[in-house]
Amino acid sequence: MFKEIPDLLGPAQIAELKSIAAGAKFVDGRISNPYAKMKQNLQLHDEAAYQKSSSLITQAMFGHEDFRNYAFPVAILPPLMTRYAPNMHYGPHADAAFLQLGKIALRSDLSCTIFLNDPDAYEGGALRIQLGTRDMRFRGAPGSAILYPSNTMHEVEPVTQGERLVAITFIQSRIADSFRRELLYELNEVAALEGLRMAPENFTRMQLIQASLLRYWGDRP
Amino acid sequence: MFKEIPDLLGPAQIAELKSIAAGAKFVDGRISNPYAKMKQNLQLHDEAAYQKSSSLITQAMFGHEDFRNYAFPVAILPPLMTRYAPNMHYGPHADAAFLQLGKIALRSDLSCTIFLNDPDAYEGGALRIQLGTRDMRFRGAPGSAILYPSNTMHEVEPVTQGERLVAITFIQSRIADSFRRELLYELNEVAALEGLRMAPENFTRMQLIQASLLRYWGDRP
Amino acid sequence: MFKEIPDLLGPAQIAELKSIAAGAKFVDGRISNPYAKMKQNLQLHDEAAYQKSSSLITQAMFGHEDFRNYAFPVAILPPLMTRYAPNMHYGPHADAAFLQLGKIALRSDLSCTIFLNDPDAYEGGALRIQLGTRDMRFRGAPGSAILYPSNTMHEVEPVTQGERLVAITFIQSRIADSFRRELLYELNEVAALEGLRMAPENFTRMQLIQASLLRYWGDRP
Amino acid sequence: MFKEIPDLLGPAQIAELKSIAAGAKFVDGRISNPYAKMKQNLQLHDEAAYQKSSSLITQAMFGHEDFRNYAFPVAILPPLMTRYAPNMHYGPHADAAFLQLGKIALRSDLSCTIFLNDPDAYEGGALRIQLGTRDMRFRGAPGSAILYPSNTMHEVEPVTQGERLVAITFIQSRIADSFRRELLYELNEVAALEGLRMAPENFTRMQLIQASLLRYWGDRP
Amino acid sequence: MFKEIPDLLGPAQIAELKSIAAGAKFVDGRISNPYAKMKQNLQLHDEAAYQKSSSLITQAMFGHEDFRNYAFPVAILPPLMTRYAPNMHYGPHADAAFLQLGKIALRSDLSCTIFLNDPDAYEGGALRIQLGTRDMRFRGAPGSAILYPSNTMHEVEPVTQGERLVAITFIQSRIADSFRRELLYELNEVAALEGLRMAPENFTRMQLIQASLLRYWGDRP
Amino acid sequence: MFKEIPDLLGPAQIAELKSIAAGAKFVDGRISNPYAKMKQNLQLHDEAAYQKSSSLITQAMFGHEDFRNYAFPVAILPPLMTRYAPNMHYGPHADAAFLQLGKIALRSDLSCTIFLNDPDAYEGGALRIQLGTRDMRFRGAPGSAILYPSNTMHEVEPVTQGERLVAITFIQSRIADSFRRELLYELNEVAALEGLRMAPENFTRMQLIQASLLRYWGDRP
């Protein structure tokens, strides 16, 4: 359901992203969705800065083993840095099923927020995800990321003080269905943790099961 | 994901169930799962008391409109009253896919805890459900119920003081998949809330969509 | 099931296509399917004319909002102009599942006839689609188009007088299944027509439902 | 899509049903759906008459080979005789996904109208089924039946003169999906018509294919 | 694919079945399939003997743990004793998808032959299953059984000497698809063999995976 | 299940491949899977030789009509020549679900061994495929190929004398599921063999069925 990755970015990467953000233009977030009245934030609007920052984050994602193991990523939309100043928020909404940016077109299976500044630097501004009659709030440490299914209702609560700086992106997974994706992640984890203790012929049987589930549930290349 | 029903049982029903529990025998919960070392609780073991209490709760469930709308129930295992005295707990586990009790056989899609005594009457004893790297805790008011997907890892944390009295049961839904079930619930809710404002021909189109989704996703009778 | 688009092409486009057709070579339609004895028509066989006419029609299709909303098109085979002189016809047949033309390969979900000349200019020549023990006939006005599922048995009845000029093409939809595709079209239409009257939170719920159905039923990019 | 069965009932059966209808009470059709404002007809309301008439029609259905071959029926709701006097009609609507009548619960895959009196005996009153931007009208001869997918929008147009007498029912098929059901019907028909001409080993291969498709697509008993 | 159970029946059961067979009437096998020209064998035709023998074998099947683990049986057609005298055979054929015998209706997922007499007591008479361009032959020891997917082309080769005595039956599995059924069998086997060596939390994760796969792939009760 | 193609390569092609193999470097097969302890063989490790040999074999595969009809191939991993000297073997293993080599990424549905030298030139070295409690062994003639589902447990038994020279590859099929792929192959074969004898309208119905099954079961381009 939820996957928090505490160390997606290291201090140097965070510093670089903050430096890029500091020197670049941010505009009203409705530029990318003019009809979304409940969207009140600022997003990076500088081609060079976008190219540089998104490429840095994308590389960090594909380079992070636990991220790859969990998300089975096949495509990542270039992450976009976003600011929330006081009173800004993004009301409850659903992420689109399919997204396109230039030549990258993908199905959004997982939504991802990468936290860039300290949660103590702002008040409010939690990512809130509805789970029926309950909800869950996220205000991560710098460099951490939260992954959650794109088909959940979620919002960014109003920032009441300070500034929230995050990057957001959307991931197409090899396995569209959340439950199945997490089940295979679990099986792979168990096989990795217990494999050495198993009789070799049973480990081989596990591998056949893992490959078969990936074949059943995974989109073809 | 989670559905809390605050008023599944009324005060009279709660009182009756407590009275049944007070006069009946409870035995080690491993009677119904002898291999589950992590199961340490007491469960009702008295045929007449079980018949009476389970029938009372089952009727309350089928009689509760919001429960029916959410769960699309086709079968409910007779709910079983369970006690947790201090130090008792039920470690993390998965509920079985298929359950049988006498002539009732069902697929467990939704698991349900009905809280019977005041959460102030005990310490600890939360129902804890894992959601990847996060979790969610439930300690409901008497008469309230929590529904959650049976394919989640969950546990009852140790009771440290007092006694926890609940009833637990398992529900086969017309719609096996949680996401689809909740999606149709949402669509039905929106149609109910907005139907009167809609042009009649559009409301009729909504009804065709609702019926078609139920037909696609619902198990046949 | 059937979608007639009355205004796919405007008068200027029709005139241009007719002018292209007037100056180009047409050959026996069996050139593209030599084993189809029941295929007796003439099809455009001139690279420049094909390039120009197919590009004009394809642009008109992708530029037509109601077409896009209905068909969820991801690929369109370059439309081919076809003539039926007296006694010509195309007997009952099924369209192939997969088609390839140069680098364009697609699954044919929807078949499309674009009518180019006046139905009064010829007799017979109806597109006839079988629906079990019933059928449906189409002889459209110039510039209109008819979309129907490729997995229906259909034919062009013999032209008995005059000449029938049409363009035909095949469309791969984001959503392969006809019933599901039309259901989502209907839901989107209702949301568009009734959205302004809805409570905002209910409109947002509708959007989550729409995105979720598209994600479930749509092919990944 | 549509299956018309010209001879579901013979003259004696029609006469018996008319005689039952003549002597029995009919009431406002909203008795079975009080919220359906667009439902204005009269339906049989007499237990003995219902028992007798529905049993007669059900037997005729299960006894009709082409009906069985086409519908793969597993359950039929007891057919209900319905009258439309002048100005009565049943506006556009969708049939429910699941129906229950006493102990019979079924998924409605196919809807069925059995015509009982002469179409010359009334004006208007056509069963009209929408097919996107087109529609199809049915006014059958006495004893004939029309089967159509329950997930289509349909209506009974106002009777303007005379009286329309029909029986209506709903069928759960072994194969829920219309396209797949009709495909297997077609394959079975071809095998039946061509089997004697085939090499025995190829006919046997056909039988394996037929059995396999039925196993894939059919609900289990 | 293939599951041979060497010890489905013990010596006493085999003796009892042979004794039942010796005293009962057998008739031409075409009695249960008059159109099957390639079916030339003799089958038990004695109600009491059938009742007794089928009940004995069915109990042995449901009582055999490895059979249950492999087949996930939900229904078994009463096994029928069958004899092949010299020159008898059953040509290549496909087993029907759905079978009915009295009140027992089932989908045949697995076909089963139980061998009752010594393979040295006859020549020929192998159960031959086609696997594309290869095949596999079975002539089992008394009391052994062979299970194979019902959707394979198979035959009984002509007996050239002696007599072949078997019982045959058909099994509806909880899991219709052969690959998925065997995959879950494998996973369950590995969990059973390796579970004690695993860290308890990983064994619990395995159990969640096992229950989830059964829920995904299993028919509801 | 199994498809043996006796004549995938002709004598000239076999000679050319042997000549390429004779002049090229082979290295320990663990180079492409360092963790596979049970992999003990030698594989071609020479870019030019790999390019030439794999291109020759791939062309032969796409050019072989029966291969195309059976496998519905959409991608083939460049076949790799492999040697097994005495004592070499490849223990039981499962092939990966997804494979990538340079720009070619594919789902492995079918695994393929192409035999290049005479089975009399070596002892042992059979390709052994497990089928539950049974297995099947393959030692093909030069130029022949064996296709089998990638989700089977298989191994190369130890070579005890001489040398085994094969090429191996993996095929993504239009139809992922083995049973469905083979069913459509069978239907296409029957239609091809019996089509001329059929009434034309029945042959056309068959074509609609064939196209529909390919559309249902085939991955989109």
Side-chain angles (χ1 to χ4, degrees):
Chain A
M1 193 72 204
F2 297 117
K3 176 74 177 178
E4 289 165 297
I5 296 178
D7 59 350
L8 184 74
L9 302 173
Q13 294 166 310
I14 299 170
E16 184 170 353
L17 289 167
K18 280 182 166 174
S19 154
I20 293 172
K25 192 177 162 193
F26 279 69
V27 300
D28 187 329
R30 274 169 291 184
I31 198 173
S32 65
N33 190 351
Y35 301 106
K37 273 185 261 178
M38 76 293 206
K39 186 178 182 183
Q40 296 184 335
N41 61 12
L42 298 168
Q43 62 190 41
L44 182 64
H45 192 70
D46 173 318
E47 202 169 323
Y50 185 29
Q51 166 71 28
K52 205 169 165 187
S53 59
S54 65
S55 154
L56 186 161
I57 301 171
T58 302
Q59 276 185 307
M61 294 176 88
F62 277 119
H64 194 284
E65 189 181 359
D66 197 35
F67 167 77
R68 285 198 314 270
N69 289 347
Y70 177 80
F72 298 83
V74 294
I76 297 177
L77 207 74
L80 178 66
M81 286 199 283
T82 310
R83 287 178 194 281
Y84 287 80
N87 294 321
M88 289 184 177
H89 74 286
Y90 196 157
H93 65 281
D95 290 326
F98 295 97
L99 295 165
Q100 181 138 22
L101 192 81
K103 287 186 176 175
I104 300 179
L106 53 72
R107 181 187 64 216
S108 179
D109 297 315
L110 286 163
S111 299
C112 179
T113 296
I114 300 119
F115 297 96
L116 294 176
N117 66 341
D118 200 299
D120 293 343
Y122 57 96
E123 284 179 16
L127 169 67
R128 176 180 168 268
I129 298 173
Q130 295 181 24
L131 297 166
T133 53
R134 284 273 176 122
D135 56 21
M136 188 74 85
R137 277 178 175 74
F138 297 88
R139 298 175 87 253
S144 73
I146 163 73
L147 294 164
Y148 57 99
S150 299
N151 60 353
T152 51
M153 189 72 80
H154 55 274
E155 70 184 294
V156 178
E157 296 182 323
V159 167
T160 55
Q161 219 178 339
E163 189 188 78
R164 175 187 193 256
L165 180 66
V166 300
I168 56 159
T169 187
F170 306 91
I171 298 149
Q172 179 177 321
S173 172
R174 173 74 74 196
I175 302 176
D177 182 83
S178 289
F179 275 110
R180 285 170 175 76
R181 187 193 315 124
E182 295 188 7
L183 216 61
L184 186 51
Y185 171 68
E186 287 289 301
L187 185 64
N188 291 346
E189 290 292 294
V190 171
L193 292 166
E194 300 289 344
L196 290 176
R197 265 179 289 214
M198 287 184 179
E201 68 272 22
N202 287 334
F203 184 60
T204 303
R205 290 161 97 179
M206 280 289 271
Q207 290 182 308
L208 187 147
I209 296 165
Q210 293 168 270
S212 296
L213 291 180
L214 183 54
R215 215 179 253 117
Y216 280 143
W217 295 340
D219 293 326
R220 64 143 182 71
Chain B
M1 192 73 202
F2 298 117
K3 177 75 177 178
E4 288 165 298
I5 297 179
D7 60 349
L8 185 74
L9 302 173
Q13 294 166 310
I14 299 169
E16 184 169 353
L17 289 167
K18 281 181 165 172
S19 153
I20 293 171
K25 188 176 164 195
F26 279 70
V27 299
D28 187 330
R30 273 169 292 183
I31 197 173
S32 64
N33 190 352
Y35 301 106
K37 273 184 261 177
M38 76 294 206
K39 188 177 182 185
Q40 297 184 337
N41 61 12
L42 299 168
Q43 61 189 43
L44 182 64
H45 192 71
D46 172 319
E47 202 168 325
Y50 184 31
Q51 166 72 29
K52 204 169 167 189
S53 60
S54 67
S55 154
L56 186 160
I57 301 171
T58 302
Q59 276 185 309
M61 294 176 88
F62 278 120
H64 194 284
E65 189 181 359
D66 197 35
F67 167 77
R68 287 198 312 272
N69 289 347
Y70 177 80
F72 298 83
V74 296
I76 297 176
L77 206 77
L80 178 67
M81 285 198 285
T82 310
R83 286 178 196 281
Y84 286 81
N87 294 321
M88 289 184 176
H89 74 287
Y90 196 156
H93 65 282
D95 290 327
F98 295 97
L99 296 164
Q100 181 137 22
L101 192 80
K103 287 187 176 176
I104 299 180
L106 53 74
R107 182 188 63 217
S108 180
D109 297 315
L110 286 163
S111 300
C112 179
T113 297
I114 301 119
F115 297 96
L116 295 175
N117 69 340
D118 202 298
D120 292 342
Y122 59 97
E123 283 177 17
L127 169 66
R128 175 179 168 269
I129 298 173
Q130 294 181 24
L131 298 166
T133 52
R134 284 271 177 123
D135 56 21
M136 187 75 85
R137 279 178 173 73
F138 298 88
R139 297 176 87 253
S144 73
I146 163 72
L147 294 164
Y148 57 99
S150 299
N151 60 353
T152 50
M153 188 73 79
H154 55 274
E155 69 183 294
V156 178
E157 297 182 322
V159 167
T160 55
Q161 218 177 338
E163 189 188 78
R164 176 187 191 256
L165 180 64
V166 300
I168 56 158
T169 186
F170 305 92
I171 300 149
Q172 179 177 321
S173 172
R174 173 74 76 196
I175 302 177
D177 181 83
S178 289
F179 275 110
R180 286 172 174 75
R181 186 193 313 122
E182 295 189 7
L183 215 62
L184 186 51
Y185 171 67
E186 287 288 299
L187 185 65
N188 291 347
E189 289 293 293
V190 171
L193 291 167
E194 300 289 344
L196 290 176
R197 265 181 289 217
M198 286 184 181
E201 68 271 21
N202 287 334
F203 184 60
T204 304
R205 292 161 95 180
M206 281 289 273
Q207 290 181 310
L208 187 147
I209 296 164
Q210 294 169 268
S212 295
L213 291 180
L214 183 54
R215 215 179 254 117
Y216 280 142
W217 294 339
D219 292 328
R220 63 145 183 67
Chain C
M1 193 72 205
F2 298 117
K3 177 74 176 179
E4 289 165 298
I5 297 179
D7 58 349
L8 184 76
L9 302 173
Q13 293 166 311
I14 298 170
E16 185 171 350
L17 289 167
K18 281 182 164 173
S19 152
I20 292 170
K25 192 178 165 192
F26 279 69
V27 300
D28 188 330
R30 274 170 290 182
I31 197 173
S32 64
N33 190 350
Y35 302 106
K37 272 185 259 177
M38 75 296 205
K39 187 176 181 184
Q40 298 184 334
N41 61 11
L42 299 169
Q43 61 191 40
L44 183 64
H45 193 70
D46 172 321
E47 201 169 324
Y50 184 30
Q51 167 71 27
K52 204 169 168 187
S53 59
S54 66
S55 155
L56 186 161
I57 301 171
T58 302
Q59 276 185 310
M61 295 175 89
F62 276 119
H64 194 284
E65 190 181 358
D66 197 35
F67 167 77
R68 286 197 313 270
N69 289 347
Y70 177 80
F72 298 82
V74 294
I76 298 176
L77 207 75
L80 178 66
M81 286 200 283
T82 309
R83 287 177 195 280
Y84 286 81
N87 293 321
M88 289 183 176
H89 74 287
Y90 196 158
H93 66 282
D95 289 327
F98 295 96
L99 296 164
Q100 180 137 22
L101 192 80
K103 287 186 177 176
I104 300 178
L106 54 72
R107 180 188 64 219
S108 179
D109 297 315
L110 286 163
S111 300
C112 179
T113 297
I114 300 119
F115 296 95
L116 294 175
N117 68 340
D118 201 300
D120 293 344
Y122 58 96
E123 284 179 16
L127 169 67
R128 177 181 168 267
I129 298 173
Q130 294 182 24
L131 297 166
T133 52
R134 283 273 177 122
D135 57 21
M136 187 74 85
R137 278 179 174 72
F138 297 88
R139 297 175 88 253
S144 73
I146 164 73
L147 293 164
Y148 57 98
S150 299
N151 61 352
T152 50
M153 189 72 81
H154 55 274
E155 70 184 293
V156 178
E157 296 181 324
V159 167
T160 54
Q161 217 176 343
E163 188 189 78
R164 178 188 191 253
L165 179 66
V166 300
I168 57 160
T169 186
F170 306 91
I171 299 150
Q172 179 177 321
S173 172
R174 174 73 75 194
I175 302 176
D177 181 82
S178 289
F179 275 110
R180 286 171 175 77
R181 186 193 314 126
E182 294 188 7
L183 216 61
L184 185 52
Y185 171 68
E186 287 289 300
L187 185 64
N188 290 348
E189 290 293 294
V190 171
L193 291 166
E194 299 290 342
L196 291 176
R197 266 180 290 215
M198 287 184 179
E201 68 272 20
N202 287 334
F203 184 60
T204 303
R205 292 162 96 178
M206 280 289 272
Q207 290 181 309
L208 188 146
I209 296 163
Q210 293 169 269
S212 296
L213 292 179
L214 183 54
R215 216 178 255 116
Y216 281 142
W217 296 339
D219 292 326
R220 64 145 183 69
Chain D
M1 192 75 203
F2 298 118
K3 178 75 178 179
E4 289 166 296
I5 297 179
D7 59 349
L8 184 75
L9 303 173
Q13 294 166 309
I14 299 169
E16 184 169 352
L17 289 167
K18 280 181 164 172
S19 152
I20 293 171
K25 191 177 162 194
F26 279 69
V27 300
D28 188 329
R30 274 169 292 183
I31 198 173
S32 64
N33 190 352
Y35 301 106
K37 271 185 263 180
M38 76 293 206
K39 187 177 182 184
Q40 297 184 336
N41 61 13
L42 300 168
Q43 61 190 43
L44 182 63
H45 192 69
D46 175 317
E47 204 169 322
Y50 184 31
Q51 167 70 31
K52 203 169 167 188
S53 60
S54 67
S55 154
L56 185 159
I57 300 171
T58 302
Q59 276 185 308
M61 293 175 89
F62 276 118
H64 194 285
E65 189 181 359
D66 197 35
F67 167 78
R68 286 198 314 271
N69 288 347
Y70 177 79
F72 297 83
V74 294
I76 297 176
L77 208 75
L80 178 67
M81 284 198 284
T82 309
R83 285 178 196 281
Y84 287 80
N87 293 321
M88 289 184 177
H89 74 287
Y90 197 157
H93 66 282
D95 289 327
F98 296 98
L99 296 165
Q100 181 136 22
L101 192 81
K103 287 188 178 174
I104 299 180
L106 54 73
R107 181 188 64 216
S108 179
D109 297 316
L110 286 163
S111 300
C112 179
T113 297
I114 301 118
F115 297 96
L116 294 175
N117 68 340
D118 202 297
D120 293 342
Y122 57 97
E123 284 179 14
L127 169 67
R128 177 181 165 268
I129 299 173
Q130 294 181 25
L131 298 167
T133 52
R134 283 274 177 119
D135 57 20
M136 188 74 85
R137 279 178 173 74
F138 298 88
R139 299 176 87 253
S144 74
I146 162 73
L147 294 164
Y148 57 99
S150 298
N151 60 353
T152 50
M153 188 72 80
H154 55 273
E155 69 183 296
V156 178
E157 297 182 322
V159 166
T160 54
Q161 218 177 339
E163 190 188 77
R164 177 187 189 257
L165 180 65
V166 300
I168 57 159
T169 186
F170 306 91
I171 299 149
Q172 179 177 321
S173 172
R174 174 74 75 195
I175 302 177
D177 181 84
S178 289
F179 275 110
R180 285 171 176 76
R181 185 193 314 124
E182 296 188 7
L183 216 62
L184 186 51
Y185 171 67
E186 287 288 301
L187 185 64
N188 291 347
E189 289 293 295
V190 171
L193 291 166
E194 300 290 342
L196 291 177
R197 264 180 290 214
M198 286 184 181
E201 69 271 21
N202 287 334
F203 185 59
T204 304
R205 292 161 96 178
M206 280 290 273
Q207 290 181 311
L208 187 147
I209 296 165
Q210 293 169 269
S212 296
L213 292 179
L214 184 54
R215 216 179 254 118
Y216 281 142
W217 295 340
D219 292 327
R220 63 146 183 68
Chain E
M1 194 73 203
F2 298 117
K3 177 75 177 177
E4 288 165 298
I5 297 179
D7 59 350
L8 185 75
L9 303 173
Q13 293 166 310
I14 298 170
E16 183 169 354
L17 289 167
K18 282 182 164 173
S19 150
I20 293 171
K25 189 179 165 194
F26 279 69
V27 300
D28 187 331
R30 273 169 293 183
I31 197 172
S32 64
N33 190 351
Y35 301 107
K37 272 184 262 178
M38 76 293 207
K39 187 177 182 185
Q40 296 183 334
N41 60 12
L42 299 169
Q43 60 189 42
L44 182 64
H45 192 70
D46 173 319
E47 203 167 323
Y50 184 31
Q51 168 70 31
K52 203 169 169 190
S53 59
S54 66
S55 156
L56 186 160
I57 301 171
T58 301
Q59 276 184 308
M61 293 175 90
F62 276 119
H64 193 284
E65 189 181 0
D66 197 36
F67 168 77
R68 287 198 313 273
N69 288 348
Y70 178 80
F72 298 84
V74 294
I76 297 176
L77 207 75
L80 178 67
M81 285 199 284
T82 309
R83 286 179 196 279
Y84 287 80
N87 293 321
M88 289 186 177
H89 74 287
Y90 196 157
H93 66 282
D95 289 327
F98 295 98
L99 296 164
Q100 181 137 22
L101 191 81
K103 287 187 176 176
I104 299 179
L106 54 73
R107 181 188 63 218
S108 179
D109 296 315
L110 286 163
S111 299
C112 179
T113 297
I114 301 118
F115 297 95
L116 296 176
N117 67 341
D118 201 298
D120 293 342
Y122 57 97
E123 283 177 17
L127 170 66
R128 177 180 167 268
I129 299 173
Q130 294 181 24
L131 297 167
T133 51
R134 283 273 178 121
D135 56 21
M136 187 76 85
R137 278 179 173 75
F138 297 88
R139 298 175 86 254
S144 73
I146 163 73
L147 294 164
Y148 57 98
S150 299
N151 60 354
T152 49
M153 189 72 80
H154 55 274
E155 70 184 295
V156 178
E157 295 182 323
V159 167
T160 54
Q161 218 177 340
E163 188 188 79
R164 176 188 190 255
L165 180 67
V166 299
I168 56 159
T169 186
F170 306 91
I171 299 149
Q172 179 177 321
S173 171
R174 174 73 75 195
I175 302 176
D177 181 83
S178 290
F179 276 111
R180 286 170 175 75
R181 186 193 313 124
E182 295 189 6
L183 216 60
L184 186 51
Y185 170 68
E186 287 288 301
L187 185 65
N188 291 348
E189 290 292 294
V190 171
L193 291 166
E194 300 289 343
L196 290 176
R197 266 180 288 216
M198 287 184 181
E201 68 272 20
N202 287 333
F203 185 60
T204 305
R205 291 161 96 179
M206 280 290 272
Q207 290 181 309
L208 187 146
I209 295 165
Q210 293 170 270
S212 296
L213 293 179
L214 184 53
R215 218 179 253 116
Y216 280 143
W217 296 339
D219 292 327
R220 63 147 184 67
Chain F
M1 195 71 203
F2 298 117
K3 177 75 177 179
E4 289 166 297
I5 298 180
D7 59 349
L8 185 75
L9 302 173
Q13 294 166 310
I14 299 170
E16 183 169 353
L17 290 167
K18 281 182 165 173
S19 153
I20 293 172
K25 190 178 164 192
F26 279 70
V27 299
D28 187 329
R30 274 171 290 183
I31 197 172
S32 64
N33 190 351
Y35 302 107
K37 274 184 261 177
M38 76 292 207
K39 187 177 181 183
Q40 297 183 334
N41 61 13
L42 298 169
Q43 62 190 42
L44 182 63
H45 192 69
D46 173 319
E47 201 167 324
Y50 185 30
Q51 168 70 28
K52 204 168 166 189
S53 60
S54 66
S55 154
L56 186 160
I57 301 171
T58 302
Q59 275 185 309
M61 293 176 90
F62 277 119
H64 193 284
E65 189 180 359
D66 197 35
F67 168 77
R68 286 197 314 273
N69 289 348
Y70 177 80
F72 297 84
V74 295
I76 297 176
L77 207 75
L80 179 66
M81 286 199 283
T82 309
R83 288 178 194 279
Y84 286 80
N87 293 321
M88 289 186 178
H89 74 288
Y90 196 157
H93 66 282
D95 290 326
F98 295 97
L99 296 165
Q100 180 138 21
L101 192 81
K103 288 188 176 172
I104 299 178
L106 53 74
R107 182 187 63 219
S108 178
D109 297 315
L110 286 163
S111 299
C112 179
T113 297
I114 301 118
F115 297 96
L116 294 176
N117 67 340
D118 201 300
D120 292 343
Y122 57 98
E123 282 178 18
L127 169 68
R128 176 180 167 267
I129 299 173
Q130 294 182 23
L131 298 167
T133 51
R134 283 273 177 122
D135 57 20
M136 187 75 85
R137 276 178 176 75
F138 298 88
R139 297 175 89 254
S144 73
I146 163 72
L147 294 164
Y148 57 98
S150 299
N151 60 353
T152 50
M153 189 73 80
H154 55 273
E155 71 184 295
V156 178
E157 296 181 324
V159 167
T160 54
Q161 216 175 343
E163 188 188 78
R164 177 188 190 253
L165 180 66
V166 300
I168 57 159
T169 186
F170 306 91
I171 299 151
Q172 179 176 320
S173 172
R174 173 74 76 196
I175 302 176
D177 182 83
S178 289
F179 275 111
R180 286 171 174 78
R181 185 192 317 124
E182 294 188 7
L183 216 60
L184 186 51
Y185 170 68
E186 287 289 300
L187 185 64
N188 290 347
E189 290 292 295
V190 171
L193 292 166
E194 300 289 343
L196 291 176
R197 266 180 288 215
M198 288 184 179
E201 68 272 21
N202 287 335
F203 184 60
T204 304
R205 292 162 96 178
M206 281 289 272
Q207 290 181 309
L208 188 147
I209 296 164
Q210 293 169 269
S212 295
L213 291 179
L214 183 54
R215 216 180 253 115
Y216 280 141
W217 294 340
D219 293 326
R220 63 143 184 69

